[in-house]
Coordinates of all heavy atoms in Angstrom, one line a residue:
A181 N 7.5 -30.4 -31.8 CA 7.0 -30.7 -30.5 C 8.0 -30.6 -29.4 O 7.6 -30.3 -28.2 CB 6.5 -32.2 -30.5
T182 N 9.3 -30.6 -29.7 CA 10.2 -30.6 -28.6 C 11.3 -29.6 -28.6 O 11.9 -29.2 -27.6 CB 11.0 -32.0 -28.6 OG1 11.7 -32.1 -29.9 CG2 10.1 -33.2 -28.4
E183 N 11.5 -28.9 -29.8 CA 12.7 -28.0 -29.8 C 12.6 -26.8 -30.8 O 13.3 -25.8 -30.7 CB 14.0 -28.7 -30.0 CG 14.1 -29.4 -31.3 CD 15.3 -30.2 -31.5 OE1 16.2 -30.1 -30.6 OE2 15.6 -30.8 -32.6
Q184 N 11.8 -27.0 -31.9 CA 11.9 -26.1 -33.0 C 10.6 -25.3 -33.1 O 9.5 -25.8 -33.2 CB 12.1 -26.8 -34.3 CG 12.4 -26.0 -35.5 CD 12.6 -26.8 -36.8 OE1 11.7 -27.4 -37.4 NE2 13.9 -26.8 -37.2
M185 N 10.8 -23.9 -33.2 CA 9.6 -23.1 -33.4 C 9.4 -22.9 -34.9 O 10.3 -22.8 -35.7 CB 10.0 -21.7 -32.8 CG 8.7 -20.7 -32.7 SD 9.2 -19.1 -32.0 CE 9.8 -19.6 -30.4
G186 N 8.1 -22.7 -35.3 CA 7.7 -22.6 -36.6 C 7.2 -21.2 -36.9 O 6.8 -20.4 -36.0
S187 N 7.3 -20.7 -38.2 CA 6.8 -19.4 -38.5 C 6.0 -19.5 -39.9 O 6.4 -20.2 -40.8 CB 8.0 -18.4 -38.7 OG 7.6 -17.1 -38.9
F188 N 4.9 -18.8 -39.9 CA 4.0 -18.8 -41.1 C 4.3 -17.6 -42.0 O 4.1 -16.4 -41.5 CB 2.6 -18.9 -40.6 CG 1.6 -19.0 -41.8 CD1 1.6 -20.1 -42.6 CD2 0.6 -18.0 -41.9 CE1 0.7 -20.3 -43.6 CE2 -0.3 -18.2 -43.0 CZ -0.3 -19.3 -43.8
C189 N 4.6 -17.8 -43.2 CA 5.0 -16.6 -44.1 C 4.1 -16.4 -45.2 O 4.2 -17.1 -46.3 CB 6.4 -16.9 -44.7 SG 7.7 -17.3 -43.4
L190 N 3.1 -15.5 -45.1 CA 2.1 -15.2 -46.1 C 2.2 -13.7 -46.5 O 2.3 -13.5 -47.7 CB 0.7 -15.6 -45.5 CG -0.5 -15.3 -46.5 CD1 -0.4 -16.1 -47.8 CD2 -1.8 -15.5 -45.7
S191 N 2.1 -12.8 -45.5 CA 2.0 -11.4 -45.9 C 3.2 -10.8 -46.6 O 4.3 -11.2 -46.4 CB 1.7 -10.6 -44.6 OG 0.6 -10.9 -44.0
E192 N 2.9 -9.8 -47.4 CA 4.0 -9.1 -48.2 C 3.6 -7.6 -48.1 O 2.5 -7.2 -47.7 CB 4.1 -9.6 -49.6 CG 4.5 -11.1 -49.7 CD 4.6 -11.6 -51.2 OE1 4.4 -10.8 -52.0 OE2 4.8 -12.8 -51.3
T193 N 4.5 -6.8 -48.7 CA 4.3 -5.4 -48.7 C 3.0 -5.0 -49.4 O 2.2 -4.2 -48.9 CB 5.4 -4.7 -49.4 OG1 6.7 -5.0 -48.8 CG2 5.3 -3.2 -49.4
G194 N 2.7 -5.7 -50.5 CA 1.5 -5.4 -51.3 C 0.4 -6.5 -51.1 O -0.6 -6.5 -51.8
A195 N 0.6 -7.3 -50.1 CA -0.4 -8.4 -49.9 C -0.6 -8.5 -48.4 O 0.0 -9.4 -47.7 CB 0.2 -9.7 -50.4
G196 N -1.5 -7.7 -47.9 CA -1.9 -7.7 -46.4 C -3.2 -8.4 -46.3 O -3.3 -9.6 -46.4
S197 N -4.3 -7.6 -46.3 CA -5.7 -8.1 -46.3 C -5.9 -8.9 -47.6 O -6.6 -9.9 -47.6 CB -6.7 -7.0 -46.0 OG -6.6 -6.5 -44.7
D198 N -5.4 -8.4 -48.6 CA -5.5 -9.0 -50.0 C -4.3 -10.0 -50.1 O -3.4 -9.8 -50.9 CB -5.4 -8.0 -51.1 CG -5.6 -8.6 -52.4 OD1 -6.0 -9.8 -52.5 OD2 -5.4 -7.8 -53.4
S199 N -4.3 -11.0 -49.2 CA -3.0 -11.8 -49.1 C -2.7 -12.6 -50.4 O -1.6 -13.0 -50.6 CB -3.2 -12.8 -47.9 OG -4.4 -13.6 -48.1
F200 N -3.7 -12.9 -51.2 CA -3.4 -13.7 -52.4 C -2.8 -12.9 -53.6 O -2.7 -13.4 -54.7 CB -4.7 -14.4 -52.9 CG -5.2 -15.4 -51.8 CD1 -6.5 -15.7 -51.7 CD2 -4.3 -16.0 -50.9 CE1 -6.9 -16.6 -50.8 CE2 -4.7 -16.9 -49.9 CZ -6.0 -17.2 -49.8
A201 N -2.5 -11.6 -53.3 CA -1.9 -10.7 -54.3 C -0.4 -10.9 -54.1 O 0.4 -10.1 -54.7 CB -2.3 -9.3 -54.1
L202 N 0.1 -11.9 -53.4 CA 1.5 -12.0 -53.1 C 2.3 -12.3 -54.4 O 1.8 -12.8 -55.4 CB 1.7 -13.2 -52.1 CG 1.3 -14.7 -52.6 CD1 2.5 -15.4 -53.3 CD2 1.0 -15.5 -51.3

Side-chain angles (χ1 to χ4, degrees):
T182 60
E183 62 180 0
Q184 187 178 74
M185 192 184 297
S187 184
F188 184 62
C189 307
L190 176 63
S191 297
E192 299 180 4
T193 303
S197 292
D198 185 11
S199 56
F200 296 150
L202 63 86

